[in-house]
Amino acid sequence: GVHNAVFVYDTDQLGDRNEKRTEEFWTDLGRFIGYDGTIPHDLYHGSHGKRENPKTALIDICDARYDPIRARLLEHGYQMSNWICPYFVEKGDGVVVSSKDYLCELVSQYQLDPCNRLVRTGNETFVTKDSNSTTRVMRLDAQY
């Protein structure tokens, strides 16, 4: 079979404000693609996309009604965060990263709810807390 090396990074590494890690990232990427030196770069600014119709409704993914969707995404994030570094990065053939510890720190956050409402308590089970501090258990195999 064909074996190709892969350079793995998290998009947060593109906007890292730590100058030493940033220079190391662009040097490592340059080395990976065969570029001699540090790739010229500017601080990354992510796009929020262009809205074609300004009257189109936007969603707030932190609304309680989206908890079941976020729970499913968080379950995938949990699985990814427990696989990417220990298996893919550490044991993968031809896997190249820059600032491995920083990358793995970022990847470990994939299992955390950015809205601070859901907490994983077990296999596909989440506890939510609303503003009244009421808790409820949510299982991904249940219908909501």
Side-chain angles (χ1 to χ4, degrees):
V2 176
H3 294 280
N4 293 314
V6 61
F7 188 87
V8 178
Y9 67 94
D10 183 281
T11 55
D12 281 353
Q13 287 180 278
L14 299 175
D16 188 2
R17 296 196 183 277
N18 179 306
E19 289 181 32
K20 183 178 183 225
R21 274 195 316 243
T22 296
E23 291 305 307
E24 181 180 7
F25 175 84
W26 291 105
T27 299
D28 291 344
L29 181 58
R31 186 177 308 121
F32 178 77
I33 64 171
Y35 182 82
D36 190 25
T38 300
I39 296 175
H41 58 279
D42 290 322
L43 187 61
Y44 170 77
H45 299 283
S47 170
H48 297 287
K50 180 180 177 186
R51 292 177 61 198
E52 295 296 323
N53 181 354
K55 293 182 181 179
T56 302
L58 297 177
I59 67 164
D60 179 355
I61 195 67
C62 292
D63 280 351
R65 65 183 170 170
Y66 297 115
D67 284 352
I69 295 168
R70 248 185 11 271
R72 186 152 311 274
L73 293 171
L74 286 168
E75 185 62 28
H76 289 293
Y78 175 82
Q79 300 297 331
M80 287 174 29
S81 71
N82 285 288
W83 177 79
I84 289 174
C85 285
Y87 297 99
F88 188 60
V89 170
E90 290 293 336
K91 300 174 182 170
D93 185 27
V95 177
V96 179
V97 300
S98 180
S99 303
K100 182 176 75 171
D101 291 342
Y102 181 54
L103 172 69
C104 291
E105 177 185 323
L106 294 171
V107 168
S108 72
Q109 295 173 23
Y110 293 0
Q111 61 186 309
L112 304 177
D113 181 13
C115 305
N116 294 319
R117 284 181 40 81
L118 299 177
V119 176
R120 187 177 191 277
T121 58
N123 191 27
E124 297 189 350
T125 305
F126 292 83
V127 172
T128 77
K129 287 194 171 201
D130 65 19
S131 56
N132 300 324
S133 296
T134 334
T135 38
R136 79 180 161 100
V137 175
M138 194 167 50
R139 290 204 38 87
L140 292 183
D141 56 2
Q143 295 296 317
Y144 293 95

